[in-house]
Amino acid sequence: MEQQGAGVGGVMSVALRRAWAKDLDVPTLYALLKLRVEVFVVEQACPYPELDGRDLLSETRHFWLADPDGEVICTLRLMEEYPGGHKAFRLGRLCTKRNARGEGHTTRLLRAALAEVGDYPCRINAQVYLADMYSQHGFVRDGDDFLDDGVPHVPMLRSAGPPPPQAVVPPASSADGSAGPPSPQAVVPPASSADGPGAPA
């Protein structure tokens, strides 16, 4: 599933894509992981275990933006969690390719993921310098700053409640008949934001 959107000045078209972990093909998974390693390990000079065993869990979804050549320029993953037996979500591994920052890609991808979260609570361990950006999407501080592999982070929470009006999308059905997430076609227009590299949560 994808949505086409104009880039800066309408020069390029960027596709919004989303897949359950089980539906990712090998080349796509490789491209998502490659971008994450480029940003979190190489650019941020932080050797840490990027492959944490959660990318292929059955309830993990991956969102990404691809340029007209199919290159992944922005990605995030969305995971279901059940603290105390209650459904919640966790966002993480959000990053944007260095030469594609400042064009609203992070905002577009976040809006798509949060539309899927709906009115469930959602957490993220954000890099401290990006806390203000996440607060614009309804996240608030939910604890003290901490170091994760030497990088300052802050736990943040977007509480349960009705989603923003632009995020209300009826649930779609997956091929196996189970309730699936909303189709990204109905979710997010491109928007502008100051894209940072990301937050490896």
Side-chain angles (χ1 to χ4, degrees):
M1 294 185 289
E2 64 185 59
Q3 175 188 15
Q4 299 293 329
V8 174
V11 173
M12 79 174 175
S13 184
V14 174
L16 169 62
R17 298 181 178 161
R18 173 228 175 268
W20 292 93
K22 67 181 176 64
D23 296 326
L24 278 177
D25 58 46
V26 172
T28 300
L29 177 60
Y30 181 91
L32 300 179
L33 297 176
K34 181 175 183 289
L35 175 57
R36 285 165 28 182
V37 169
E38 284 175 3
V39 173
F40 297 130
V41 179
V42 178
E43 181 182 336
Q44 297 186 353
C46 179
Y48 81 105
E50 167 58 29
L51 303 181
D52 62 358
R54 303 187 74 181
D55 290 305
L56 297 179
L57 294 178
S58 62
E59 294 171 335
T60 296
R61 296 94 148 151
H62 295 268
F63 290 77
W64 68 98
L65 297 175
D67 69 15
D69 296 323
E71 182 180 10
V72 174
I73 59 174
C74 187
T75 185
L76 68 76
R77 73 178 179 189
L78 179 65
M79 300 171 290
E80 281 185 36
E81 297 181 330
Y82 291 85
H86 301 286
K87 182 175 177 178
F89 287 89
R90 179 171 294 276
L91 279 171
R93 299 300 200 264
L94 170 58
C95 62
T96 302
K97 197 170 185 65
R98 186 196 290 266
N99 64 6
R101 293 178 194 153
E103 298 177 20
H105 299 312
T106 296
T107 293
R108 186 176 174 203
L109 217 53
L110 268 172
R111 285 182 179 171
L114 292 174
E116 187 158 324
V117 167
D119 60 356
Y120 290 101
C122 185
R123 295 183 180 278
I124 187 168
N125 289 334
Q127 291 188 15
V128 168
Y129 81 100
L130 291 172
D132 287 344
M133 186 270 290
Y134 287 114
S135 70
Q136 294 171 19
H137 295 275
F139 287 88
V140 296
R141 172 184 288 273
D142 189 44
D144 296 329
D145 291 6
F146 64 97
L147 289 178
D148 189 1
D149 293 300
V151 179
H153 281 72
V154 56
M156 301 188 79
L157 171 67
R158 184 174 177 266
S159 298
Q166 75 274 14
V168 177
V169 180
S173 293
S174 64
D176 63 5
S178 61
S183 164
Q185 286 97 326
V187 180
V188 256
S192 225
S193 88
D195 290 335

